[in-house]
Amino acid sequence: MKNNIICFIAASVLLFFPALAGAQATVVRVDGQKVYLDTTSLNRSVQKGEIFKVILSSEKLVNPKTGKNLGDIYTYSPEGKIVEVQPMYAVGELPEKASASVGQEAVIEAAAPAAPVYTRDADENASSRQKIVYAPVEQEIISLTQADITAPGAQNFITLSADGKVTVWSRAGKDTLAERLSYTVPSAKRAVTLSAAPVKEGGLAQIFVSVYDPSRTSVSALVLENENGALQETASLPYFVKELGCGKDKKIWAQKPFVSAARPGNAREVAYQNGKYTVQKDMFSTQRNWLTGLNRYDVENAGADNLIYTSSNGTVRLTLQNGKRAESKDLFAAAPNRVKYKQEIVKFYPSLQVFGPAGDATVAAVENTSKLGLLSETFGQYQSGKIHFLTFEKGRLSLQDTVNLDGVVYDTACSDRAVLAAEVLPDGSSSVVEIFK
């Protein structure tokens, strides 16, 4: 463990957990390894199999130099599982005789669904890939990702809406989401895309929101963190920022915007050093592409470190080790997310997700269908979206599978188990969709 992580001995776990005050259940009875929890204060239903921990003690963490209260440190029991659920209480079982006491609080973590609950694909040509479609929320979601924001292991969905609202969600049921935290980007700035990963060692993830300031024709990234149960802007970076990778392997990358007219520069990894966010010296060439619409992966073979990106004509291209390019036969890309930079329209293509074994990878690319088959310069002319899955075979990116969606897709992300998308429906609401790998 890094020396900036505070650890307790034995089975206890030490964490900053201010965000879960609303997700705590009171211990009302202890019977050996069984702990009875009052769940009436929770704003969601509890499911069998969910993980819980009893808060055994807590203390304030204070900066000795400034006197600033940095939050609470909690000591927990070993993790247990919920084994029984009743209308007003739940029974959890700990792995050993409980040290819990009546009156203590317990934290219950909503478990990610083990398998898809239902799908919308019904026709005989539908994809064999399973998916979960969560109930619509009243937002036009233009970017999303998944990370631990409210607690370790929470696997929160984080979304960015067209009007600049950043929302942290938790799973509230088999196909519904509950809002936990939110933040609104200042109205003078246009939110473009969102990413999240734990750049700081040993804690919750940070959220990076790339924004465009039309008055200054500049791009920057706001850094948001969960501080005492609220999303706070803690830093900003003079870069365009986007995540690449899936789940635990995600990295946050930054590039200088507008280094050549409306084109951006090369990418450097974002780090946290000496108490501030910075970028590393090592870089990779994006070939003047924005970090949306591209990725790096060993697609060709192990160690290839290929660049894969969406070209301006809509094909998906792969830069090979010999310097040549492979590309998709069909056109996929459409860019509903765009800004006007001086006299140019800058298009931010939906992110490309790449996963699977090195040399046998799968690429997930977006296609948005235009109304009446016309090329679109405004979002309103798009009517539906698809996620295409491609593999590299015989020198070409070949289409293997397609998942049809009911709405338009601005952006995608990648978790350990699924490709994530948000389909914007005709009424302006959005559904988060998990498409399983």
Side-chain angles (χ1 to χ4, degrees):
M1 303 289 284
K2 301 293 183 183
N3 57 11
N4 62 336
I5 303 176
I6 309 172
C7 298
F8 272 94
I9 60 173
S12 299
V13 181
L14 177 66
L15 297 166
F16 294 91
F17 234 150
L20 288 180
Q24 295 175 5
T26 303
V27 176
V28 294
R29 180 179 176 181
V30 178
D31 185 3
Q33 292 175 236
K34 289 188 174 181
V35 177
Y36 292 73
L37 305 171
D38 177 1
T39 57
T40 58
S41 62
L42 302 181
N43 58 1
R44 69 172 182 87
S45 59
V46 176
Q47 307 292 325
K48 287 178 65 175
E50 291 185 345
I51 302 299
F52 79 98
K53 294 179 288 187
V54 178
I55 301 174
L56 303 179
S57 64
S58 65
E59 63 175 298
K60 297 289 185 184
L61 184 67
V62 177
N63 186 318
K65 293 183 178 180
T66 65
K68 182 179 179 180
N69 181 3
L70 304 178
D72 294 326
I73 303 174
Y74 293 92
T75 308
Y76 297 96
S77 71
E79 289 186 348
K81 285 189 176 181
I82 300 298
V83 296
E84 180 182 345
V85 176
Q86 297 295 335
M88 301 182 70
Y89 70 91
V91 182
E93 188 168 328
L94 292 168
E96 56 193 51
K97 186 174 180 180
S99 56
S101 302
V102 172
Q104 291 178 325
E105 299 295 309
V107 176
I108 304 174
E109 287 301 318
V117 178
Y118 69 90
T119 71
R120 286 181 179 162
D121 288 328
D123 62 271
E124 59 182 12
N125 297 318
S127 167
S128 60
R129 293 179 186 271
Q130 295 178 308
K131 66 184 180 184
I132 298 176
V133 182
Y134 291 89
V137 297
E138 295 301 318
Q139 294 186 19
E140 183 183 327
I141 295 176
I142 63 173
S143 188
L144 81 167
T145 187
Q146 182 175 303
D148 296 343
I149 303 298
T150 60
Q155 295 186 339
N156 303 107
F157 292 123
I158 308 103
T159 61
L160 174 65
S161 68
D163 59 2
K165 183 178 180 180
V166 177
T167 309
V168 177
W169 309 88
S170 64
R171 297 171 176 84
K174 68 177 184 178
D175 57 7
T176 58
L177 300 176
E179 182 176 329
R180 297 303 186 200
L181 305 172
S182 66
Y183 172 91
T184 301
V185 172
S187 58
K189 298 179 179 180
R190 159 80 184 277
V192 176
T193 189
L194 167 145
S195 302
V199 174
K200 289 184 178 180
E201 294 285 350
L204 300 175
Q206 291 77 48
I207 300 172
F208 298 82
V209 186
S210 291
V211 297
Y212 175 64
D213 186 339
S215 65
R216 299 183 178 182
T217 58
S218 65
V219 167
S220 61
L222 311 180
V223 183
L224 309 180
E225 299 186 64
N226 179 358
E227 292 196 341
N228 299 318
L231 287 183
Q232 303 286 344
E233 181 183 339
T234 60
S236 63
L237 296 168
Y239 298 99
F240 182 80
V241 172
K242 190 61 176 171
E243 65 186 41
L244 300 181
C246 298
K248 300 180 183 65
D249 296 326
K250 282 195 303 185
K251 302 291 185 182
I252 303 295
W253 294 87
Q255 61 185 163
K256 279 285 187 184
F258 308 136
V259 298
S260 176
R263 299 286 186 174
N266 295 327
R268 302 171 187 262
E269 186 178 345
V270 176
Y272 187 78
Q273 298 171 330
N274 301 320
K276 64 180 182 179
Y277 295 94
T278 184
V279 294
Q280 306 281 41
K281 291 183 179 180
D282 293 339
M283 70 173 69
F284 75 87
S285 173
T286 66
Q287 299 182 14
R288 300 299 192 216
N289 292 291
W290 293 91
L291 281 168
T292 58
L294 67 76
N295 215 315
R296 295 173 72 202
Y297 205 83
D298 297 342
V299 177
E300 188 177 1
N301 54 57
D305 197 24
N306 301 109
L307 180 71
I308 184 166
Y309 63 96
T310 300
S311 66
S312 59
N313 71 352
T315 59
V316 177
R317 289 180 176 170
L318 176 70
T319 302
L320 303 177
Q321 289 177 292
N322 61 10
K324 295 183 178 180
R325 292 173 178 169
E327 64 179 41
S328 61
K329 179 180 178 181
D330 300 297
L331 304 182
F332 298 133
N337 200 2
R338 59 194 71 193
V339 298
K340 185 175 182 181
Y341 170 72
K342 297 182 178 178
Q343 302 303 313
E344 298 188 59
I345 299 296
V346 180
K347 299 180 180 180
F348 299 100
Y349 290 106
S351 297
L352 291 168
Q353 306 307 327
V354 192
F355 57 89
D360 190 21
T362 299
V363 179
V366 170
E367 176 189 1
N368 284 316
T369 304
S370 301
K371 291 183 178 180
L372 303 177
L374 299 175
L375 295 177
S376 176
E377 287 302 323
T378 63
F379 167 74
Q381 292 178 321
Y382 293 110
Q383 60 184 356
S384 63
K386 302 175 182 178
I387 307 292
H388 297 291
F389 293 85
L390 305 93
T391 56
F392 178 63
E393 298 175 357
K394 299 179 180 180
R396 173 175 286 172
L397 288 166
S398 300
L399 179 63
Q400 298 295 316
D401 194 11
T402 296
V403 175
N404 295 305
L405 300 175
D406 292 335
V408 177
V409 178
Y410 278 91
D411 201 11
T412 62
C414 192
S415 70
D416 287 324
R417 65 180 192 156
V419 172
L420 309 177
E423 51 181 15
V424 180
L425 303 171
D427 64 359
S429 65
S430 303
S431 287
V432 172
V433 183
E434 289 185 284
I435 305 169
F436 290 82
K437 297 175 181 177

